[in-house]
């Protein structure tokens, strides 16, 4: 029984897994990839494998294949893969179900005709069954006794039957629109509603041109953000798989091919930039800055204690700046100061929630982050203080010349302060009790009590206008 690895035994591809791991740690090596590839695909895999360590215990295995291998102990079980021998040996040692490993080395890429030749030389013509998942395996099935078509695309089993005898067909799990919606984190687009704040703060509700520009900015931020989320998930595969909830994300769980993610990330980003230019060329520059910040965060800064939360708060604030630039409104000092403190509190709340979840698993540190569970009390105090400072900034704004110009009855805004104090305190209590969502902003928008607070704040602001 000979089994392919990438896409068959594994709901992933080790070439892309190792490549993403390499670029996540040493992105400048991207420029060496073409030179390695000139020496052949086997050499490329060898060079990457020599610089990368993968954790075989966290990879997304197809349990149907693992169970089938455990039930075929009467005959030799062979892992035969085009992946580098280093990774193949580690996976075989972890699973403990293989008697032999055949894999690519520095010179030979063991796929297609090379794989068929190696198996025939060792076991003879029709002397083995083979499990595969792609059209390149047709040359192997043509020389095998039985073909097992696993996780293959539509029509592959019929093509395999034309060149050999199909013993079993195991279809892939459905990964349709719902899976992509989750991967693109469309629900996170709620954060981009912040681009409408300058429109509301400047009381330009009925300015159609400004409303259209804000709407374009909203979608542009959403597309760009989805591209970043996909890229971040691809670079975060090892740490996500260690997380109790993030391990269920489509790419970490192997429900979507990594190659599709590598194609989707730049396409989404380019589409976002295209819309940004339509909205306002100056807004496009803001979006470029946002993307650069998120890229720096994904590649490096998210691992640096406190730099990560300050940058997260900054990314929220950039959305507000983008909204102002898109409609040509002046940036409000008070709005920027308020947003920086309130979003710093929410960023720390996000880290507090993640650490609390890790504490429940018995671990002491967050994978891919610079925090440990011992930091929980400090993060809690810093985050709550930042939230209360935001309320202080808002209170000072009420008596400012800017407020007196915009509002006929600014004293009505004072009622917003206790609402904000209640809301911030409640979020931290919920997180302390372990009931907070991974993303506090999304929780705040979907939570009924938070919705009531937001609605009341909006009504009070309208009442202050006069």
């Amino acid at each position: 029984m000979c089994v392919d690895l990438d896409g068959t035994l594994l709901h992933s591809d080790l070439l892309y897994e190792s490549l993403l791991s390499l670029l996540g740690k040493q992105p400048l090596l991207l420029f060496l990839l073409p030179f390695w590839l000139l020496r052949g695909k086997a050499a490329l895999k060898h060079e990457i494998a020599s610089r990368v360590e993968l954790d075989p215990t966290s990879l997304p295995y197809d349990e149907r294949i693992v169970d089938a291998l455990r039930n075929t102990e009467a005959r030799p079980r062979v892992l035969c893969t085009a992946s580098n021998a280093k990774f193949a040996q580690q996976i075989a040692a972890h699973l403990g179900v293989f008697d032999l490993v055949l894999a690519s080395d520095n010179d030979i890429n063991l796929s297609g005709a090379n794989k068929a030749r190696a198996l025939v030389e060792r076991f003879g013509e029709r002397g083995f069954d083979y499990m595969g998942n792609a059209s390149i395996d047709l040359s192997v099935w043509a020389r095998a006794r039985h073909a097992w078509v696993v996780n293959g695309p539509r029509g592959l089993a019929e093509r395999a039957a034309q060149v050999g005898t199909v013993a079993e067909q195991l279809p892939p799990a459905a990964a349709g629109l719902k899976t992509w919606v989750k991967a693109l984190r469309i629900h996170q687009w709620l954060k981009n509603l912040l681009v409408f704040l300058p429109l509301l703060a400047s009381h330009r509700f009925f300015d159609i041109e400004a409303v259209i520009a804000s709407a374009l900015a909203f979608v542009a931020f959403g597309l760009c953000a989805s591209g970043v989320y996909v890229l971040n998930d691809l670079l975060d595969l090892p740490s996500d798989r260690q997380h109790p909830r993030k391990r269920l994300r489509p790419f970490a769980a192997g429900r979507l091919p990594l190659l599709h993610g590598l194609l989707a990330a730049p396409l989404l980003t380019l589409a976002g930039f295209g819309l940004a230019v339509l909205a306002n060329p100056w807004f496009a520059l803001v979006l470029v800055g946002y993307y650069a910040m998120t890229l720096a965060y994904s590649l490096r800064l998210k691992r640096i204690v406190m730099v990560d939360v300050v940058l997260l708060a900054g990314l929220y604030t950039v959305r507000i700046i983008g909204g102002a630039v898109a409609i040509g409104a002046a940036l409000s000092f008070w709005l920027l100061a308020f947003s920086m403190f309130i979003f710093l509190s929410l960023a720390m709340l996000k880290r507090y929630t993640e650490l609390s979840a890790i504490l429940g698993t018995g671990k002491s540190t967050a994978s891919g982050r610079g925090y440990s569970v011992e930091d929980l009390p400090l993060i809690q105090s810093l985050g709550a203080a930042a939230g209360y400072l935001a309320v202080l900034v808002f209170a000072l704004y009420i008596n400012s010349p800017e407020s007196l110009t915009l509002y006929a009855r600014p004293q009505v805004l004072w009622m917003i302060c206790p609402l904000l104090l209640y809301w911030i305190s409640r979020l931290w209590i919920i997180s302390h009790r372990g009931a907070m969502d991974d993303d506090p902003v999304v929780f705040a928008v979907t939570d009924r009590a938070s919705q009531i607070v937001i609605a009341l704040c909006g009504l009070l602001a309208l009442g202050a206008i006069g």
Side-chain angles (χ1 to χ4, degrees):
M1 176 63 75
C2 302
V3 182
D4 183 33
L5 178 57
D6 300 315
T8 305
L9 175 62
L10 198 63
H11 287 303
S12 189
D13 189 307
L14 290 188
L15 174 58
Y16 298 120
E17 290 265 354
S18 56
L19 176 61
L20 288 165
S21 179
L22 177 71
L23 297 181
K25 295 175 181 176
Q26 298 175 285
L28 293 180
L29 289 181
L30 173 68
F31 300 104
L32 289 181
L33 296 180
F35 299 100
W36 294 343
L37 187 57
L38 286 174
R39 293 162 43 205
K41 202 169 182 180
L44 171 69
K45 295 176 181 179
H46 176 77
E47 292 291 348
I48 295 174
S50 66
R51 293 167 170 82
V52 168
E53 294 297 331
L54 297 179
D55 180 9
T57 64
S58 65
L59 294 172
Y61 297 100
D62 190 328
E63 293 301 327
R64 300 172 301 174
I65 308 304
V66 176
D67 291 340
L69 289 168
R70 288 183 176 136
N71 293 327
T72 57
E73 295 181 356
R75 52 178 169 157
R77 295 158 296 179
V78 181
L79 179 60
C80 189
T81 174
S83 290
N84 187 264
K86 170 187 171 180
F87 299 138
Q89 293 287 355
Q90 290 173 345
I91 288 172
H94 165 62
L95 293 177
V97 295
F98 291 106
D99 304 292
L100 177 66
V101 175
L102 301 175
S104 297
D105 55 24
N106 190 31
D107 301 311
I108 298 177
N109 186 44
L110 201 67
S111 67
N114 288 337
K115 183 181 290 188
R117 191 179 307 111
L119 290 175
V120 170
E121 288 175 357
R122 186 171 289 269
F123 303 111
E125 198 81 29
R126 311 291 178 189
F128 58 94
D129 287 3
Y130 178 71
M131 292 185 182
N133 71 294
S135 56
I136 197 170
D137 295 316
L138 290 169
S139 58
V140 184
W141 284 324
R143 308 186 72 176
R145 184 182 64 165
H146 291 132
W148 291 54
V149 183
V150 180
N151 299 323
R154 183 177 300 177
L156 182 61
E158 288 78 4
R159 295 171 63 191
Q162 294 173 2
V163 299
T165 303
V166 177
E168 190 77 38
Q169 180 183 4
L170 299 176
L177 180 61
K178 195 172 181 179
T179 306
W180 271 106
V181 166
K182 186 175 182 180
L184 300 182
R185 300 193 217 174
I186 299 299
H187 64 283
Q188 298 279 12
W189 283 34
L190 291 170
K191 298 176 182 178
N192 301 322
L193 291 172
L194 293 171
V195 302
F196 292 101
L197 274 182
L199 181 75
L200 300 176
S202 59
H203 302 169
R204 295 169 65 180
F205 321 105
F206 304 110
D207 184 339
I208 301 301
E209 188 176 329
V211 171
I212 292 174
S214 294
L216 287 173
F218 171 81
V219 178
F221 262 116
L223 291 170
C224 191
S226 287
V228 173
Y229 290 140
V230 170
L231 179 61
N232 188 65
D233 284 355
L234 293 175
L235 295 175
D236 259 3
L237 290 174
S239 57
D240 280 356
R241 287 170 181 156
Q242 300 294 330
H243 193 276
R245 288 187 291 270
K246 293 181 181 180
R247 63 185 178 84
L248 300 177
R249 287 177 174 173
F251 292 109
R255 294 171 59 196
L256 288 176
L258 300 183
L259 178 59
H260 292 182
L262 287 169
L263 294 174
L267 289 176
L268 288 164
T269 303
L270 289 173
F273 287 147
L275 274 182
V277 172
L278 286 177
N280 184 321
W282 291 108
F283 168 71
L285 291 178
V286 175
L287 194 64
V288 169
Y290 167 82
Y291 185 77
M293 290 170 66
T294 52
L295 195 61
Y297 174 82
S298 296
L299 293 175
R300 175 59 182 159
L301 298 183
K302 65 185 175 184
R303 300 182 181 91
I304 304 177
V305 174
M306 289 300 148
V307 170
D308 62 331
V309 290
V310 171
L311 186 57
L312 278 177
L315 289 172
Y316 289 120
T317 305
V318 166
R319 289 174 167 92
I320 297 175
I321 295 172
V325 172
I327 64 173
L331 290 170
S332 166
F333 161 80
W334 294 103
L335 182 58
L336 293 179
F338 173 81
S339 67
M340 196 66 202
F341 282 115
I342 194 68
F343 292 124
L344 178 61
S345 180
L346 294 177
M348 289 189 171
L349 186 62
K350 179 180 175 69
R351 287 292 174 263
Y352 182 89
T353 302
E354 291 173 352
L355 283 174
S356 295
I358 290 168
L359 180 62
T361 65
K363 296 180 180 179
S364 60
T365 59
S367 178
R369 299 289 187 268
Y371 299 92
S372 71
V373 295
E374 295 175 353
D375 299 324
L376 279 168
L378 180 60
I379 293 174
Q380 185 179 40
S381 61
L382 292 174
Y388 293 150
L389 281 173
V391 181
L392 176 61
V393 169
F394 184 82
L396 293 172
Y397 164 73
I398 294 172
N399 283 334
S400 69
E402 292 88 345
S403 174
L404 297 175
T405 301
L406 282 173
Y407 297 95
R409 292 191 294 271
Q411 62 273 15
V412 176
L413 298 175
W414 280 106
M415 293 300 297
I416 294 178
C417 292
L419 289 173
L420 290 175
L421 289 170
Y422 159 78
W423 178 68
I424 292 165
S425 302
R426 181 175 177 272
L427 288 183
W428 278 98
I429 288 175
I430 290 173
S431 184
H432 181 72
R433 293 175 178 175
M436 177 60 65
D437 186 84
D438 279 342
D439 195 315
V441 174
V442 175
F443 175 86
V445 176
T446 56
D447 172 57
R448 179 59 58 86
S450 298
Q451 291 170 349
I452 293 173
V453 169
I454 293 170
L456 289 174
C457 290
L459 290 173
L460 288 169
L462 287 174
I465 293 174

